Amino acid sequence: AKFPPKSRRYRTVYEDAVESGLGLAGFEKTKTGHDDKEVAYIVRQNWCLKCIFITFVLFALGIGLVFSTTLRVEVFRRDAIQQEVKHRVSEHGAQVKLLSVRVELKEALEHEVNQHHRLEEYKSLLARYLGDLETSMKSDLKHMP
């Protein structure tokens, strides 16, 4: 038995693969004329319409998926921005409260220091009056017979 040349055999396998692939894609192999040896491939119109419709549906689904994802991301971003605003407002409120407590403490400390200085003045004034009184009493006692 004679085998066909290798290149012819591989070409046949390749042609068979191409023909089966075209058959799966909806192409039919035929001849164009009565005594024509050239092969022609025919595609049915409904097959083309189905392919166009399926392509359109897949494209619409893809666009819908992208927009829904984009809208979901927008909603997440908007919620994140609102949470950030609430956080900043509460943080600002806490800072204002802390500042007012600091001012109150500072005023209380200044008041305490002022009172301490006044008490020190009264104490020194009292000590001086007591000293003067003691001195005057000693001098009065010396002058008394």
Side-chain angles (χ1 to χ4, degrees):
K2 280 189 156 184
F3 292 105
K6 273 190 166 183
S7 64
R8 175 76 179 135
R9 187 169 130 205
Y10 287 126
R11 187 172 167 227
T12 306
V13 171
Y14 174 72
E15 284 177 354
D16 289 342
V18 168
E19 284 180 22
S20 65
L22 288 173
L24 289 173
F27 291 92
E28 291 181 16
K29 184 177 177 183
T30 187
K31 303 245 179 177
T32 56
H34 175 55
D35 283 333
D36 231 355
K37 292 185 179 182
E38 199 168 314
V39 178
Y41 292 96
I42 298 174
V43 179
R44 294 188 182 262
Q45 185 179 4
N46 64 351
W47 178 255
C48 288
L49 291 175
K50 285 178 189 176
C51 288
I52 290 171
F53 179 72
I54 289 172
T55 304
F56 176 74
V57 167
L58 290 176
F59 181 74
L61 287 174
I63 293 294
L65 180 69
V66 166
F67 280 131
S68 69
T69 305
T70 303
L71 291 175
R72 195 174 314 137
V73 168
E74 276 295 317
V75 168
F76 287 151
R77 284 184 182 164
R78 184 177 35 188
D79 290 344
I81 289 171
Q82 288 174 351
Q83 291 296 330
E84 182 68 24
V85 167
K86 286 180 183 176
H87 176 70
R88 287 188 185 205
V89 165
S90 65
E91 189 175 284
H92 177 70
Q95 286 177 350
V96 167
K97 180 77 173 168
L98 187 64
L99 186 63
S100 68
V101 168
R102 180 178 175 259
V103 168
E104 288 175 10
L105 284 174
K106 185 177 177 183
E107 288 173 356
L109 178 65
E110 288 174 355
H111 181 69
E112 286 293 322
V113 167
N114 190 14
Q115 290 242 340
H116 181 70
H117 285 304
R118 291 175 91 192
L119 286 175
E120 288 293 323
E121 286 177 15
Y122 290 143
K123 186 178 173 184
S124 66
L125 188 64
L126 184 61
R128 193 174 70 203
Y129 284 142
L130 282 175
D132 289 346
L133 182 64
E134 189 179 333
T135 313
S136 83
M137 284 177 71
K138 283 183 184 178
S139 70
D140 285 345
L141 284 176
K142 281 185 183 180
H143 293 334
M144 283 189 92

